[in-house]
Amino acid sequence: MSVPIPAPTLIRDGARVRILDQTALPHHRVTLALDSLDAVAHAIRAMQVRGAPLIGATAACGVALALQTAADDATLEHALTLLGATRPTAVNLHWALDRMARVLRPLPPEARLAAAEREADAIITEDIATNAAIGQHGLALIADIAAKRPGPVRVMTHCNAGWLATLGHGTALSPVYAAQAAGIDVAVWVSETRPRNQGLLTAWELRESGVAHRLIADNAAGLLMMRGEVDLVITGADRVAANGDTANKVGTYLKALAAADNGVPFYIAAPCSTIDFACPNGAAIPIEDRDGDEVRVLHGRDTIGATAQLRIASADTAIGNPAFDVTPAARITAIITEHGVVAPGALGTLAP
């Protein structure tokens, strides 16, 4: 039995791409129709779509949209360059664009649009299958814990790496959904993931999917591990270096440190498309710095249910806002890929 996905994150619909606007969640469910290259680039840059696999698939669809107007070399190169500049850290973006470029550049202009649409559809279909495989490999880890003691298996995650961030059941949350489908009692600790609060999206999708969970402040994670209330940590990744160092949403490294100090297994769940074999280590991963108002301003609902903003720091407050951090391979128990559970030092066995 598989767990249904309550809301598709992306649908390629002829001359448009329909997306679930993730900046409106968890308060409103809004679907946007993107009908141009610029609209797709804005959606990626503004985090209306987010999650490394979903960003890559959306970018592939953006290339196909661009070629509907013209398919000459200049249009193709402009699309690849514009989309490639939207987000620096998530390697799936560049993986998808490189894949589209390899297919499209050798073709005559009249053959490019159909080929771009086929390749975008292939990326979408492959991500669904990849998510399912990651789920099954991660399920074995959860099932092993469940077999050793009664009660729910308590999984901690950070950011959002479920079906909202992919085309299937996600990366980090795919093993959770697989456990749910297998009848294993599982509960998830969900950290807020400030400043963008992607953890609220995780809480929203787990509620939509009927999975037991509790939302916690980011800084509560270490105490929960110290008290023995966490069985394993699984997070996603935006880029995995060749040596296993992994970039994920800022705050992941702190969880890895707490997990190591308390003997809690710490796993990264990511497809092989997120492994950057050309990147030697974490020091070479570019870390995106985002706008200071993400820290200065909170978004939510007011007492009458209207969407509102609350400024918690003055506009002239100096802000540092790195969007990601890097967890060293030494702090990662293993990486769950579509090909199995692999030690960080053995990623070379997966190189293409």
Side-chain angles (χ1 to χ4, degrees):
M1 184 182 86
S2 63
V3 180
I5 298 173
T9 51
L10 179 148
I11 298 174
R12 201 180 65 77
D13 181 16
R16 296 181 294 183
V17 176
R18 299 185 184 276
I19 64 166
L20 189 64
D21 182 1
Q22 301 199 31
T23 62
L25 293 171
H27 305 297
H28 306 283
R29 185 183 296 199
V30 177
T31 299
L32 299 177
L34 310 179
D35 60 2
S36 69
L37 169 65
D38 287 342
V40 172
H42 172 76
I44 296 172
R45 191 181 302 111
M47 296 179 67
Q48 290 174 317
V49 292
R50 33 147 306 283
L54 181 58
I55 288 172
T58 304
C61 292
V63 173
L65 277 181
L67 299 184
Q68 290 181 345
T69 303
D72 55 88
D73 290 351
T75 301
L76 174 59
E77 296 308 318
H78 172 66
L80 295 170
T81 300
L82 180 67
L83 292 166
T86 52
R87 301 289 302 278
T89 302
V91 74
N92 295 66
L93 169 66
H94 306 284
W95 167 84
L97 292 175
D98 288 346
R99 177 168 166 172
M100 297 295 283
R102 285 195 303 272
V103 170
L104 299 174
R105 280 175 176 151
L107 298 177
E110 62 271 18
R112 283 175 174 167
L113 175 58
E117 291 175 340
R118 286 195 301 271
E119 198 65 19
D121 286 341
I123 289 172
I124 291 170
T125 300
E126 289 168 20
D127 188 61
I128 294 170
T130 294
N131 286 191
I134 289 172
Q136 290 304 306
H137 292 304
L139 170 61
L141 302 173
I142 294 175
D144 182 62
I145 295 170
K148 293 176 180 176
R149 60 159 182 78
V153 177
R154 300 158 300 180
V155 180
M156 179 175 284
T157 193
H158 187 69
C159 195
N160 174 259
W163 50 261
L164 284 173
T166 65
L167 283 306
H169 282 100
T171 54
L173 291 186
S174 190
V176 171
Y177 293 129
Q180 180 192 31
I184 295 173
D185 193 6
V186 62
V188 183
W189 291 111
V190 180
S191 55
E192 293 169 300
T193 322
R194 293 189 180 186
R196 289 297 298 233
N197 289 325
Q198 292 97 330
L200 301 184
L201 304 186
T202 296
W204 181 84
E205 75 163 81
L206 290 173
R207 183 174 65 249
E208 292 284 305
S209 303
V211 176
H213 63 281
R214 278 191 277 179
L215 182 68
I216 60 170
D218 291 347
N219 288 336
L223 175 64
L224 293 171
M225 290 190 228
M226 181 181 287
R227 295 198 308 207
E229 298 181 36
V230 180
D231 294 307
L232 72 166
V233 181
I234 309 178
T235 78
D238 287 86
R239 186 181 301 220
V240 180
N243 73 334
D245 293 349
T246 296
N248 193 50
K249 188 55 58 180
V250 69
T252 302
Y253 177 42
L254 295 178
K255 286 182 171 56
L257 290 175
D261 195 48
N262 291 281
V264 177
F266 181 93
Y267 295 99
I268 296 292
C272 287
S273 58
T274 303
I275 304 171
D276 185 356
F277 289 103
C279 179
N281 53 52
I285 298 176
I287 299 298
E288 178 182 3
D289 287 301
R290 293 186 61 84
D291 189 86
D293 270 352
E294 292 185 348
V295 177
R296 298 185 191 101
V297 180
L298 298 178
H299 299 264
R301 283 183 171 180
D302 61 20
T303 55
I304 62 172
T307 302
Q309 297 181 2
L310 175 67
R311 182 170 290 279
I312 61 171
S314 63
D316 60 355
T317 301
I319 298 294
N321 186 20
F324 304 90
D325 59 22
V326 176
T327 299
R331 300 298 183 191
I332 299 170
T333 305
I335 298 174
I336 309 168
T337 76
E338 66 269 37
H339 298 299
V341 181
V342 182
L347 292 180
T349 63
L350 302 176

